[in-house]
Amino acid sequence: DGGITQSPKYLFRKEGQNVTLSCEQNLNHDAMYWYRQDPGQGLRLIYYSQIVNDFQKGDIAEGYSVSREKKESFPLTVTSAQKNPTAFYLCASSAGTGGLNYGYTFGSGTRLTVV
Amino acid sequence: AQSVTQLGSHVSVSEGALVLLRCNYSSSVPPYLFWYVQYPNQGLQLLLKYTTGATLVKGINGFEAEFKKSETSFHLTKPSAHMSDAAEYFCAVSQNDMRFGAGTRLTVKP
């Protein structure tokens, strides 16, 4: 079955470390997105990519980086510059850009905790 | 700019009672509107969407929503709540990108 796979499900990071969250999709979707979810704040867009080798900053890109070398993959790196990285991270994809009338397909998320 | 406001961060209903989750949007052009559901420690799942055409949209699990342009609303309803409906629900609006509301946590009491 087609879908989005995020790994790992739980991740622990020490202060000052960079960590990379994986997101892979086999839906042949062009667009991919990374969101951060904090209690009571809904979903906030970190980065998005509409095509391979191209990506744009979202609302809260500071302290994060991404790459889009393959259509299927959109990894997110949480750098040491991100001062409050503890959160639930969601990856999504869509057949059309901006979600438009297709809606998004989401992965099951990665919960990152700073220890 | 487009935005979404969900009225009520937490809604509690009894099993078998009507579920009503409120969503108002702001958009400069006719929007695409969505409702998603999220179970604990899971991603979001699309419940239903409005693009064009019929303003009453039916989704999965017995949910439906009505697009009311005059009220800029897209409220989610279900006639009879089930225990398995307990989850967080997100309304979203899409023009150039998808904007999500803050979410409403639904609790269902036995």
Side-chain angles (χ1 to χ4, degrees), chain B residues 59-78:
Chain B
I60 62 173
N61 302 338
F63 284 93
E64 61 184 35
E66 186 171 9
F67 170 60
K68 291 187 176 181
K69 184 178 179 180
S70 61
E71 299 177 8
T72 61
S73 69
F74 191 57
H75 301 331
L76 182 70
T77 61
K78 182 174 181 178

Side-chain angles (χ1 to χ4, degrees), chain A residues 5-70:
Chain A
T5 301
Q6 289 188 242
S7 63
K9 191 167 181 63
Y10 299 96
L11 186 58
F12 298 90
R13 192 195 91 167
K14 294 183 179 179
E15 295 280 354
Q17 277 186 338
N18 292 353
V19 291
T20 297
L21 284 59
S22 172
C23 177
E24 303 277 336
Q25 55 101 356
N26 60 3
L27 299 164
N28 199 34
H29 284 173
D30 289 316
M32 297 187 74
Y33 311 85
W34 274 105
Y35 286 90
R36 171 179 171 141
Q37 186 177 21
D38 297 281
Q41 296 194 45
L43 280 71
R44 292 182 290 169
L45 183 63
I46 305 172
Y47 269 99
Y48 65 101
S49 169
Q50 297 176 340
I51 196 170
V52 174
N53 292 322
D54 187 46
F55 49 82
Q56 286 76 43
K57 293 181 178 180
D59 299 322
I60 56 165
E62 184 175 352
Y64 301 97
S65 66
V66 293
S67 63
R68 187 86 185 277
E69 297 177 0
K70 299 186 299 182

Side-chain angles (χ1 to χ4, degrees), chain A residues 37-115:
Chain A
Q37 186 177 21
D38 297 281
Q41 296 194 45
L43 280 71
R44 292 182 290 169
L45 183 63
I46 305 172
Y47 269 99
Y48 65 101
S49 169
Q50 297 176 340
I51 196 170
V52 174
N53 292 322
D54 187 46
F55 49 82
Q56 286 76 43
K57 293 181 178 180
D59 299 322
I60 56 165
E62 184 175 352
Y64 301 97
S65 66
V66 293
S67 63
R68 187 86 185 277
E69 297 177 0
K70 299 186 299 182
K71 187 175 185 178
E72 301 80 15
S73 179
F74 192 41
L76 173 74
T77 297
V78 184
T79 74
S80 57
Q82 171 50 237
K83 298 307 178 187
N84 185 24
T86 295
F88 191 52
Y89 291 87
L90 287 163
C91 180
S93 70
S94 68
T97 58
L100 296 179
N101 61 345
Y102 301 111
Y104 289 1
T105 300
F106 281 85
S108 58
T110 293
R111 187 166 297 281
L112 173 63
T113 304
V114 174
V115 296

